[in-house]
Amino acid sequence: MRKDEAIEKITTGKMTRRQFSKFLMAIGGVITVIPLTACEQLRSSKHHPTVFTWEGWEVPDLHGDYIERHGRSPNFAIFADEEEAFAKMRAGFQVDITQPCTYKIPMWHQAGLLEPIDTNRLSNWTNIAPSLKTIPGTVIDGQRYFIPTDWGQTSVLYRPDLAPEYIDNETWDILWDPKYKGRLSMSNSLIDGVMVAAIHAGAEDPFNMTSHEIMKTRAALKEQLSLIRFYWDSPTEVEQGLASGELIAGTTWNDSFASMISEGHDVKFMNPKEGAMTWVCGFSIMTGHDPDKIEKIYDYIDAYMSVEAGVFDITEYGYGHGNSKAFQQIDPEIVKSLGFTSNDPDDMLNSGIFQVAMANEAELQKMFDEVKAGL
């Protein structure tokens, strides 16, 4: 499909926002600022804030209360990963709200990008799971810089029919199995690339490695380089590869599992014996936000925190949501089918390897870039 065809489809309602975002990622689309509602013109509005976020998080179901209150969605800009987002904002790209994950908050705060958040302006704050309110690094010097909304795991999505030996032996090691050379995929992001290699290499604490552990992680990445088919920027690439049989396994998140299962594909989302990586993402207000839009900024964040948004997040994307009451609205059997252990968010949040800020991040990024370049 050409870009002009995709734009025609979205303006006439024949393509969803998520499909359009995936299309842009598939063709290497650049950052695009567009309003959400398909019937609106594809241009930003000076009256609404701009949300800098991941693909798929701009759908109306995740901020319906905002639309009801203000008549339309805010503007959206899509990033592939947080490294890209950070670089663009440091270079002067002005946005009002971003959606990072917890491990980035200390670094972004230190760079002067984040504004303190007043939770008294958020009606849904009292319903956020208590364990999500105390994540290290999200409250600095007594001020909150992060609102937790989405959470889940980074793990391995694989084809059990093509790799049956891993059904009862779920491990990150599948991504280093030489039998599957050319049929494996890894995330292009630092957190889901280097940290996975560190776990595979046996690092005691992947997020605070010793010099020796960094050397072992580099060796693991170099070993893997000849085995993988591609590093991915959009999970759609992994989903398509697994569906066609081009791939046996790849790192991804819960939503890819939920999406592929709903489409009838035979895939499994691993619970690796070494531990999956648990992450929490949410919203931060930028120091460069437009002060005239502050009311709408809080309205958007609060809408995303609602029970209705949470139910959609859980059932459609297979992610957890910060609002504990959202889980109470869903049939326990549906929750179980999506890979959650129960309707209590703390069960999964307290399992796995929790992502935190990385020590020596710049060094690790440089190492990762060198390995991908064949050095």
Side-chain angles (χ1 to χ4, degrees):
M1 188 189 308
R2 301 191 312 272
K3 279 189 178 181
D4 57 345
E5 293 175 325
I7 291 173
E8 187 276 332
K9 284 180 179 293
I10 196 168
T11 55
T12 57
K14 297 177 181 178
M15 177 184 283
T16 67
R17 301 301 303 181
R18 192 168 190 234
Q19 289 171 334
F20 186 71
S21 294
K22 287 187 174 186
F23 168 75
L24 286 178
M25 292 298 179
I27 64 173
V30 297
I31 290 291
T32 306
V33 181
I34 50 180
L36 182 62
T37 309
C39 295
E40 295 176 347
Q41 295 180 354
L42 297 179
R43 59 182 176 83
S44 64
S45 167
K46 63 180 181 180
H47 302 296
H48 294 267
T50 296
V51 183
F52 200 17
T53 186
W54 309 83
E55 64 164 304
W57 299 135
E58 75 284 23
V59 296
D61 303 83
L62 289 171
H63 57 273
D65 288 350
Y66 181 95
I67 298 173
E68 288 185 16
R69 180 171 295 190
H70 299 291
R72 51 151 286 170
S73 294
N75 308 302
F76 287 92
I78 307 302
F79 57 74
D81 58 46
E82 290 146 311
E83 286 73 36
E84 174 194 352
F86 182 72
K88 289 183 178 295
M89 290 186 293
R90 287 293 297 273
F93 184 58
Q94 292 292 311
V95 297
D96 300 294
I97 313 168
T98 52
Q99 195 171 6
C101 297
T102 55
Y103 68 96
K104 286 294 185 182
I105 300 304
M107 177 180 172
W108 287 22
H109 172 264
Q110 189 174 32
L113 296 176
L114 305 183
E115 179 94 356
I117 298 172
D118 181 3
T119 56
N120 291 320
R121 302 182 70 164
L122 299 168
S123 66
N124 288 303
W125 177 247
T126 56
N127 297 329
I128 297 299
S131 61
L132 294 176
K133 296 179 177 180
T134 57
I135 299 171
T138 60
V139 177
I140 303 171
D141 296 330
Q143 293 184 306
R144 177 168 295 280
Y145 291 91
F146 175 82
I147 297 297
T149 52
D150 310 283
W151 54 269
Q153 293 187 316
T154 297
S155 189
V156 180
L157 190 63
Y158 75 107
R159 289 277 298 266
D161 58 326
L162 302 178
E165 70 272 31
Y166 285 97
I167 294 175
D168 296 316
N169 179 36
E170 295 189 336
T171 169
W172 293 105
D173 294 347
I174 189 174
L175 299 172
W176 277 263
D177 193 329
K179 295 195 304 295
Y180 303 131
K181 181 176 182 178
R183 302 182 74 184
L184 304 168
S185 183
M186 280 279 281
S187 169
N188 198 34
S189 73
L190 181 63
I191 191 74
D192 290 336
V194 174
M195 294 301 101
V196 169
I199 296 170
H200 170 74
E204 183 175 350
D205 180 356
F207 301 94
N208 188 22
M209 290 187 280
T210 65
S211 297
H212 179 64
E213 288 173 333
I214 291 176
M215 289 177 59
K216 290 178 64 177
T217 299
R218 183 184 186 116
L221 288 167
K222 291 185 70 173
E223 176 189 353
Q224 186 190 56
L225 185 63
S226 64
L227 302 178
I228 63 172
R229 190 168 188 86
F230 56 80
Y231 288 102
W232 61 263
D233 290 308
S234 166
T236 306
E237 299 171 76
V238 180
E239 296 169 26
Q240 292 173 344
L242 289 168
S244 68
E246 175 188 9
L247 295 178
I248 299 290
T251 55
T252 189
W253 310 307
N254 310 61
D255 70 322
S256 290
F257 173 64
S259 175
M260 294 197 72
I261 286 294
S262 69
E263 294 169 0
H265 297 290
D266 182 15
V267 292
K268 292 195 70 176
F269 193 58
M270 279 192 179
N271 181 21
K273 59 186 179 183
E274 304 90 347
M277 281 199 294
T278 301
W279 50 262
V280 179
C281 297
F283 291 103
S284 294
I285 299 175
M286 311 310 291
T287 52
H289 73 271
D290 185 342
D292 292 336
K293 299 175 183 176
I294 192 64
E295 181 180 348
K296 291 178 180 177
I297 288 172
Y298 276 101
D299 285 349
Y300 174 78
I301 296 174
D302 206 30
Y304 200 110
M305 296 166 65
S306 71
V307 170
E308 293 77 14
V311 170
F312 179 86
D313 201 9
I314 296 164
T315 57
E316 295 298 319
Y317 287 175
Y319 288 138
H321 191 265
N323 195 319
S324 297
K325 290 187 176 181
F327 280 90
Q328 300 169 16
Q329 304 298 314
I330 305 171
D331 186 326
E333 289 302 313
I334 294 177
V335 173
K336 184 178 179 181
S337 72
L338 293 169
F340 296 100
T341 54
S342 75
N343 282 50
D344 182 354
D346 286 329
D347 284 352
M348 184 172 285
L349 287 167
N350 293 327
S351 68
I353 301 168
F354 200 90
Q355 291 182 350
V356 295
M358 290 176 281
N360 304 315
E361 181 170 340
E363 177 186 352
L364 294 176
Q365 185 65 62
K366 181 174 181 290
M367 176 191 73
F368 195 29
D369 292 340
E370 288 176 350
V371 170
K372 290 185 288 186
L375 302 177

